[in-house]
Amino acid sequence: MFPDGCPGCGLLLLRIVAGVILIHDGVAGLMGAPHRESLTLEVIAASTAIFLLVGLWTPIAGAVVAVTELWIAVSGTDHVRGAIMLATTGVVTAVLGPGARSVDALLYGRKRLDL
């Protein structure tokens, strides 16, 4: 299901905030900011953030974000709370879906069949 109205706007806002933060972390990792996280995990999370932003393959992208952020939190980071929060956001987007304002809704949303 692809909720519209206020729930759909909330899901859109959730996807935008998570995507922007993940892309920021990935770019900061590539720019050489000192960190303890694995650069590969940051790049994976940032690339899946693009899918979250547009709402394409959202359950898969949310699950990948959740796994990578949990791995970052467990492997040791200076920002454990942020990693756990982003992992939770990934789980929420994987479970709830992208909402009506997404590519998934355009591709897989309700179809009307005229007989």
Side-chain angles (χ1 to χ4, degrees), residues 12-96:
L12 176 65
L13 182 64
L14 181 73
R15 286 189 356 246
I16 289 172
V17 169
V20 167
I21 291 172
L22 288 166
I23 289 173
H24 174 269
D25 289 349
V27 170
L30 288 175
M31 297 300 283
H35 54 78
R36 293 176 49 191
E37 300 89 21
S38 171
L39 182 62
T40 306
L41 292 173
E42 291 287 342
V43 170
I44 290 171
S47 61
T48 55
I50 296 168
F51 289 103
L52 281 180
L53 280 175
V54 297
L56 180 64
W57 300 334
T58 308
I60 297 167
V64 170
V65 166
V67 169
T68 56
E69 289 297 322
L70 281 176
W71 190 288
I72 288 171
V74 169
S75 66
T77 180
D78 296 335
H79 309 287
V80 177
R81 286 182 285 185
I84 291 172
M85 192 66 150
L86 286 171
T88 305
T89 304
V91 170
V92 168
T93 55
V95 172
L96 293 179

